[in-house]
Amino acid sequence: MPLRKVLIANRGEIALRIHRACQEMGIATVAVHSTVDATAMHVRLADESVCIGPPPARDSYLNMAAILSAAAITGADAIHPGYGFLSENADFAEMVEAHQLTFIGPTPGHIRMMGDKIAAKDAMRRLGVPLVPGSLGALATFEEARIVAQEVMYPVLIKAAAGGGGRGMKVARAESELEDAWRLARAEAKAAFGNDEVYLEKYLDRPRHIELQVLADTHGNVVHFGERDCSLQRRHQKLLEEAGSPVLGQADRDALGAQVTRALRELGYRNAGTLEFLWQDGQFAFIEMNTRLQVEHPVTEMVCGIDLVKEQLRVAAGEPLGYDQSDVRFHGHAIECRITAEDPQSFAPSPGRVGTYHAPGGLGVRVDSALYSGYVVPPHYDSLIAKLVVHGGTRAEAIARLRRSLAEMVVDGIATTLPLHRAIVEDAEFQAGDYTIHWLERFVAGRQGG
Ligand code: MV4
């Protein structure tokens, strides 16, 4: 059934992004907002809006009952969760469907499966996707950890089953460190997630983080839209992403894509998803799968010439993809800079009133942002204020375009990470594509005079 009205259960740039796709498809939109967001751009642009609670996210953007009520009173027939907030909450997806609404995302069962990192790895292993060597499932005892660590050889990592984003993760560089790692990982996992299940992997010491974008309809068709290299991150917060990866060619992309799409077809997956891999010494190893639209999806859109949110809406309405893998072509190179309201050296949050806001433009430049001059960045939410995305025929052209776009862009009145991005694009190693997941921490320490 075609979608007529979509409730967007999010805020900021991603709420605008989803609204724009709906508008172009003739679908009406409902914004939800907290009291502090009453004048936010996502509320102004939507066809209708509903206030769902006070500023703290747990009382508004995470308030499932308030969001379902907003959908009911406005007569929405679907909910798009965006990223963050309720986007990977299987209980919420289940409640949406129980209210005869369409959840624009995977099934609750697949969200739940991928939320359990052990279940996700087990599924991928059975489907023939390569993994980091490690324990088969959860570790039952410390003795088991010792045996598996000896098998895969040190250094090793103990990871939380309910983890992701680096929480509840401990390295052991030798057997003498294993017991502390085991104890700490379990305690942290218990405290953070209420679940002390842990597993063990060989620790890869200088990998790149490469992820693959997939899309599935409800008729058994699965395609991939290539990879993103997200290695440039600090404390598990990505700063800059590229499509494609500077280290992969079309043959690598085709090989990984074929393996992954086969696996997801077997799994009966639907809607958009991203598989995260560590890449080291020419080898891919699956670590996690994200069952949502990701922040960095625009770089994929730029190189593939597709609108991922429109595709999500189409397949959620039951439409078949209508094309196959051979119709997906890759053109040039795209780079995204995440511009946040943070000090560019200390990363201290910097909410407050924006003075002048000027977005760059021109060929191959895209800015996804809910900013306007005079906007007050509230302190209650994620500090992302704009995504600057550039596309070029080659990586060198994309970098040149990024450099001049960063020079044009103005965000006055608050501290932002724009100066850090301007420094990164000038760096010779960045320009050569020569970096791992550890590169940015060192680069930032160098700028701090470390
Ligand atoms: C790893 C790893 C090295 N070896 N697993 C961090 C968050 C979670 N998504 C997985 N993470 C890692 N898992 C093995 N076996 C290194 C990391 C890691 C990392 C991964 C991707 C992007 C940035 C990272 C920063 C630090 C550690």
Side-chain angles (χ1 to χ4, degrees):
M1 2 76 247
L3 303 178
R4 287 165 305 128
K5 189 188 280 194
V6 168
L7 183 142
I8 301 164
N10 217 299
R11 64 183 302 282
E13 67 85 19
I14 197 62
L16 262 66
R17 170 73 191 84
I18 297 161
H19 167 79
R20 287 167 173 158
C22 289
Q23 284 268 291
E24 291 178 14
M25 292 173 77
I27 300 169
T29 60
V30 179
V32 293
H33 65 90
S34 67
T35 50
V36 75
D37 278 344
T39 57
M41 191 59 87
H42 80 278
V43 177
R44 296 187 194 199
L45 291 190
D47 296 306
E48 292 172 77
S49 64
V50 180
C51 182
I52 50 167
R58 91 188 75 85
D59 301 319
S60 49
Y61 298 103
L62 291 171
N63 184 340
M64 301 189 224
I67 291 166
L68 290 167
S69 300
I73 62 173
T74 55
D77 43 27
I79 297 185
H80 196 306
Y83 53 69
F85 295 132
L86 297 169
S87 60
E88 293 180 284
N89 186 314
D91 295 337
F92 179 65
E94 223 158 55
M95 286 169 71
V96 169
E97 294 188 344
H99 286 75
Q100 315 306 318
L101 299 168
T102 298
F103 181 78
I104 300 167
T107 62
H110 285 138
I111 297 173
R112 196 166 279 125
M113 171 189 282
M114 300 310 170
D116 177 341
K117 308 305 167 192
I118 292 176
K121 278 190 69 172
D122 197 52
M124 292 305 160
R125 182 181 51 77
R126 282 185 289 102
L127 295 166
V129 176
L131 311 177
V132 189
S135 57
L136 270 184
L139 293 167
T141 62
F142 173 67
E143 183 54 23
E144 190 184 340
R146 235 172 39 79
I147 292 166
V148 180
Q150 224 153 48
E151 236 168 62
V152 302
M153 302 201 290
Y154 289 89
V156 299
L157 267 178
I158 310 267
K159 294 183 172 183
R167 283 202 299 175
M169 203 174 89
K170 297 291 163 206
V171 190
R173 300 196 176 272
E175 187 164 311
S176 60
E177 297 177 4
L178 190 63
E179 195 156 0
D180 280 352
W182 155 265
R183 234 196 299 274
L184 279 170
R186 282 171 46 109
E188 215 172 274
K190 184 82 189 169
F193 315 111
N195 173 0
D196 66 1
E197 259 197 328
V198 294
Y199 60 105
L200 184 146
E201 281 179 358
K202 181 167 183 65
Y203 176 68
L204 304 179
D205 62 345
R206 48 185 171 79
R208 298 179 78 111
H209 173 146
I210 295 177
E211 57 186 33
L212 194 80
Q213 176 71 56
V214 298
L215 178 74
D217 65 17
T218 53
H219 306 271
N221 303 299
V222 184
V223 295
H224 73 86
F225 292 112
E227 81 287 357
R228 297 183 285 259
D229 197 317
C230 305
S231 301
L232 292 192
Q233 56 77 50
R234 178 188 167 271
R235 304 206 177 155
H236 306 294
Q237 299 297 315
K238 296 169 184 167
L239 255 89
L240 182 153
E241 304 98 343
E242 311 195 45
S245 171
V247 295
L248 298 191
Q250 190 59 44
D252 306 301
R253 183 170 302 127
D254 290 343
L256 183 67
Q259 221 165 16
V260 164
T261 50
R262 193 180 331 108
L264 292 188
R265 207 167 293 125
E266 190 105 350
L267 206 61
Y269 192 78
R270 72 167 198 215
N271 214 279
T274 299
L275 291 96
E276 294 187 4
F277 294 87
L278 296 178
W279 182 92
Q280 186 172 307
D281 304 322
Q283 303 260 72
F284 282 101
F286 170 84
I287 49 170
E288 293 173 24
M289 180 168 181
N290 302 318
T291 54
R292 60 170 191 276
L293 181 70
Q294 296 203 194
V295 175
E296 61 272 27
H297 76 276
V299 289
T300 298
E301 297 185 320
M302 304 291 268
V303 295
C304 294
I306 48 113
D307 183 322
L308 271 172
V309 178
K310 282 188 186 171
E311 294 304 289
Q312 283 193 293
L313 292 162
R314 283 204 312 112
V315 300
E319 278 185 50
L321 284 183
Y323 50 85
D324 63 26
Q325 192 62 52
S326 66
D327 298 312
V328 179
R329 302 285 171 77
F330 301 89
H331 298 280
H333 193 91
I335 305 177
E336 170 181 281
C337 288
R338 295 193 191 189
I339 296 151
T340 59
E342 291 175 314
D343 182 276
Q345 302 228 332
S346 70
F347 294 90
S350 171
R353 183 176 298 274
V354 175
T356 302
Y357 169 57
H358 177 76
L363 181 64
V365 179
R366 163 178 174 184
V367 179
D368 280 19
S369 175
L371 269 194
Y372 54 87
S373 292
Y375 175 66
V376 178
V377 179
H380 311 85
Y381 313 107
D382 187 276
S383 60
L384 183 72
I385 53 171
K387 302 191 303 203
L388 170 58
V389 189
V390 297
H391 180 259
T394 61
R395 185 168 184 268
E397 187 182 38
I399 290 174
R401 193 158 273 159
L402 180 58
R403 189 161 179 255
R404 76 94 180 140
S405 301
L406 285 164
E408 283 180 27
M409 191 164 184
V410 179
V411 182
D412 271 352
I414 57 171
T416 75
T417 48
L418 273 168
L420 175 57
H421 287 292
R422 291 183 185 125
I424 291 169
V425 297
E426 298 302 330
D427 184 271
E429 284 176 344
F430 170 73
Q431 289 174 5
D434 179 18
Y435 54 76
T436 71
I437 61 168
H438 304 296
W439 187 88
L440 188 64
E441 306 267 4
R442 261 174 242 143
F443 185 78
V444 168
R447 279 165 49 85
Q448 290 165 338

